[in-house]
Amino acid sequence: DFLKAGRPTSDPYVRVKARTQEFVTHTHMKTCNPMFNEVFHLHCSDPSTVLHMNVMDEDVGKDDFLGQWLCTVKYLKNKPTGPDWFPLRRKNFEPEGCGDIEMEVSWEYVEGFDLGYEEPKLTALQQLQENSDETNLRMGSATKVISMLKRFPFLLDVEL
Protein backbone atom coordinates (compact mmCIF):
# COMPACT_ATOMS: atom_id res chain seq x y z
CA ASP A 1 0.00 0.00 0.00
CA PHE A 2 1.17 3.56 -0.66
CA LEU A 3 -0.22 6.92 0.37
CA LYS A 4 -0.67 9.56 -2.33
CA ALA A 5 2.67 11.08 -1.25
CA GLY A 6 4.37 7.80 -2.23
CA ARG A 7 5.23 6.69 1.30
CA PRO A 8 4.61 3.04 2.16
CA THR A 9 1.70 2.26 4.45
CA SER A 10 -0.20 -0.78 5.66
CA ASP A 11 -3.49 -1.77 7.19
CA PRO A 12 -2.04 -4.10 9.84
CA TYR A 13 -3.71 -6.49 12.22
CA VAL A 14 -2.42 -9.40 14.30
CA ARG A 15 -3.77 -12.95 14.40
CA VAL A 16 -2.92 -14.79 17.66
CA LYS A 17 -3.34 -18.56 17.78
CA ALA A 18 -2.73 -21.24 20.40
CA ARG A 19 -3.96 -24.63 19.22
CA THR A 20 -7.74 -24.32 18.74
CA GLN A 21 -7.96 -20.80 20.20
CA GLU A 22 -7.62 -17.87 17.85
CA PHE A 23 -7.93 -14.12 18.36
CA VAL A 24 -7.61 -11.24 15.91
CA THR A 25 -6.90 -7.60 16.70
CA HIS A 26 -8.78 -4.84 14.98
CA THR A 27 -7.18 -3.41 11.82
CA HIS A 28 -5.34 -0.08 11.90
CA MET A 29 -5.77 1.68 8.57
CA LYS A 30 -2.92 3.34 6.67
CA THR A 31 -0.09 3.03 9.21
CA CYS A 32 3.19 1.20 9.64
CA ASN A 33 3.28 1.94 13.39
CA PRO A 34 0.02 0.67 14.88
CA MET A 35 -0.75 0.64 18.60
CA PHE A 36 -3.16 -2.21 19.22
CA ASN A 37 -3.48 -2.06 23.03
CA GLU A 38 -5.53 -5.26 23.06
CA VAL A 39 -5.45 -8.04 25.62
CA PHE A 40 -6.22 -11.69 24.95
CA HIS A 41 -6.56 -14.41 27.58
CA LEU A 42 -5.84 -17.93 26.37
CA HIS A 43 -6.35 -21.23 28.16
CA CYS A 44 -3.02 -23.10 28.02
CA SER A 45 -2.44 -25.99 30.38
CA ASP A 46 0.30 -27.64 28.29
CA PRO A 47 3.68 -25.85 28.39
CA SER A 48 4.55 -27.15 24.91
CA THR A 49 1.62 -25.23 23.39
CA VAL A 50 2.85 -22.99 20.58
CA LEU A 51 1.74 -19.36 20.66
CA HIS A 52 1.80 -18.17 17.04
CA MET A 53 1.32 -14.54 16.00
CA ASN A 54 0.97 -13.46 12.39
CA VAL A 55 1.10 -9.78 11.49
CA MET A 56 -1.02 -9.25 8.40
CA ASP A 57 -1.82 -6.39 6.01
CA GLU A 58 -5.55 -6.23 5.29
CA ASP A 59 -6.26 -5.90 1.58
CA VAL A 60 -9.21 -6.31 -0.71
CA GLY A 61 -9.19 -9.94 -1.80
CA LYS A 62 -6.29 -11.65 -0.04
CA ASP A 63 -4.45 -10.22 2.98
CA ASP A 64 -0.65 -9.96 2.82
CA PHE A 65 1.67 -11.66 5.31
CA LEU A 66 3.99 -9.12 7.01
CA GLY A 67 5.77 -11.29 9.57
CA GLN A 68 5.40 -13.85 12.34
CA TRP A 69 6.61 -14.57 15.83
CA LEU A 70 6.13 -17.75 17.81
CA CYS A 71 7.12 -19.32 21.09
CA THR A 72 6.00 -22.01 23.48
CA VAL A 73 4.09 -21.28 26.66
CA LYS A 74 7.12 -22.66 28.56
CA TYR A 75 9.20 -19.77 27.15
CA LEU A 76 6.66 -17.29 28.53
CA LYS A 77 6.75 -18.86 31.98
CA ASN A 78 10.51 -18.33 32.17
CA LYS A 79 10.84 -14.88 30.57
CA PRO A 80 10.82 -11.60 32.52
CA THR A 81 7.50 -9.79 32.55
CA GLY A 82 6.89 -6.45 30.91
CA PRO A 83 6.87 -5.18 27.33
CA ASP A 84 9.67 -6.22 25.02
CA TRP A 85 10.60 -6.06 21.33
CA PHE A 86 10.40 -9.28 19.32
CA PRO A 87 11.80 -9.81 15.81
CA LEU A 88 9.26 -10.75 13.17
CA ARG A 89 10.29 -13.55 10.84
CA ARG A 90 9.35 -14.40 7.29
CA LYS A 91 7.40 -17.58 6.55
CA ASN A 92 10.71 -19.43 6.18
CA PHE A 93 11.96 -17.81 9.44
CA GLU A 94 14.44 -15.51 7.74
CA PRO A 95 14.51 -12.23 9.69
CA GLU A 96 15.42 -9.74 6.96
CA GLY A 97 12.89 -7.04 6.19
CA CYS A 98 10.07 -7.96 8.58
CA GLY A 99 10.76 -5.51 11.39
CA ASP A 100 10.00 -5.91 15.08
CA ILE A 101 6.88 -5.87 17.19
CA GLU A 102 6.65 -4.55 20.74
CA MET A 103 4.32 -6.50 22.96
CA GLU A 104 3.83 -7.74 26.45
CA VAL A 105 3.30 -11.47 26.44
CA SER A 106 3.15 -13.34 29.71
CA TRP A 107 1.94 -16.50 31.36
CA GLU A 108 0.33 -16.56 34.75
CA TYR A 109 -1.84 -18.96 36.66
CA VAL A 110 -5.16 -17.44 37.63
CA GLU A 111 -7.22 -19.55 39.99
CA GLY A 112 -10.72 -20.07 38.65
CA PHE A 113 -9.90 -18.76 35.17
CA ASP A 114 -10.48 -22.19 33.65
CA LEU A 115 -13.81 -22.72 35.39
CA GLY A 116 -16.32 -23.61 32.72
CA TYR A 117 -13.64 -24.05 30.05
CA GLU A 118 -13.19 -27.51 28.61
CA GLU A 119 -10.33 -28.51 26.36
CA PRO A 120 -11.70 -29.85 23.08
CA LYS A 121 -11.91 -33.64 23.16
CA LEU A 122 -9.54 -35.03 20.56
CA THR A 123 -9.00 -38.54 19.32
CA ALA A 124 -5.48 -39.96 19.52
CA LEU A 125 -5.02 -39.25 15.80
CA GLN A 126 -6.18 -35.64 16.23
CA GLN A 127 -3.78 -35.18 19.16
CA LEU A 128 -0.93 -36.58 17.07
CA GLN A 129 -1.81 -34.20 14.22
CA GLU A 130 -1.98 -31.22 16.59
CA ASN A 131 1.45 -32.13 18.01
CA SER A 132 2.85 -32.59 14.50
CA ASP A 133 1.47 -29.21 13.38
CA GLU A 134 3.07 -27.47 16.38
CA THR A 135 6.38 -29.24 15.78
CA ASN A 136 6.31 -28.06 12.16
CA LEU A 137 5.63 -24.51 13.35
CA ARG A 138 8.51 -24.66 15.82
CA MET A 139 11.00 -26.51 13.67
CA GLY A 140 9.81 -26.97 10.08
CA SER A 141 11.69 -29.19 7.66
CA ALA A 142 15.36 -30.05 8.12
CA THR A 143 16.25 -27.43 5.47
CA LYS A 144 14.31 -24.78 7.39
CA VAL A 145 15.95 -25.78 10.68
CA ILE A 146 19.43 -25.44 9.17
CA SER A 147 18.50 -22.07 7.63
CA MET A 148 17.04 -20.88 10.94
CA LEU A 149 20.09 -22.01 12.95
CA LYS A 150 22.41 -20.10 10.62
CA ARG A 151 20.45 -16.94 11.47
CA PHE A 152 19.94 -17.73 15.16
CA PRO A 153 21.12 -14.72 17.23
CA PHE A 154 22.73 -16.84 19.97
CA LEU A 155 25.68 -19.18 20.01
CA LEU A 156 24.75 -22.41 21.74
CA ASP A 157 27.31 -24.56 23.54
CA VAL A 158 25.84 -28.03 23.90
CA GLU A 159 27.65 -30.93 25.52
CA LEU A 160 26.34 -34.47 25.18
Side-chain angles (χ1 to χ4, degrees):
D1 299 346
F2 284 91
L3 291 173
K4 288 182 181 176
R7 288 174 294 191
T9 184
S10 272
D11 305 318
Y13 67 92
V14 178
R15 182 178 308 277
V16 180
K17 185 173 183 187
R19 293 193 175 161
T20 60
Q21 302 170 82
E22 189 168 355
F23 298 93
V24 180
T25 66
H26 65 283
T27 302
H28 285 266
M29 306 305 284
K30 299 188 184 330
T31 182
C32 288
N33 296 302
M35 292 292 292
F36 294 103
N37 293 322
E38 295 186 41
V39 176
F40 301 113
H41 298 276
L42 298 114
H43 298 268
C44 296
S45 57
D46 180 358
S48 69
T49 300
V50 173
L51 182 63
H52 189 198
M53 293 178 221
N54 281 322
V55 180
M56 305 293 291
D57 178 15
E58 186 175 292
D59 285 325
V60 176
K62 186 178 179 194
D63 295 350
D64 295 322
F65 174 85
L66 296 176
Q68 68 179 339
W69 182 79
L70 58 94
C71 72
T72 61
V73 171
K74 183 179 179 180
Y75 166 80
L76 296 178
K77 189 173 185 303
N78 296 321
K79 86 171 228 8
T81 58
D84 204 351
W85 286 92
F86 298 90
L88 293 174
R89 305 289 184 189
R90 295 186 182 281
K91 287 185 180 179
N92 62 0
F93 292 98
E94 292 182 13
E96 292 83 18
C98 289
D100 298 317
I101 186 169
E102 183 183 21
M103 58 187 164
E104 184 170 349
V105 185
S106 62
W107 179 91
E108 65 180 293
Y109 175 76
V110 177
E111 181 125 9
F113 179 69
D114 284 342
L115 290 178
Y117 177 78
E118 274 190 48
E119 290 280 337
K121 304 285 189 245
L122 302 175
T123 65
L125 186 59
Q126 289 170 321
Q127 289 176 22
L128 185 61
Q129 182 63 51
E130 184 177 79
N131 183 271
S132 177
D133 291 346
E134 286 187 338
T135 299
N136 284 334
L137 271 176
R138 285 193 304 261
M139 303 301 290
S141 67
T143 305
K144 284 184 180 179
V145 171
I146 291 167
S147 173
M148 182 175 61
L149 289 174
K150 287 180 180 176
R151 292 169 177 75
F152 199 67
F154 304 102
L155 177 61
L156 302 176
D157 184 14
V158 178
E159 289 184 33
L160 299 175

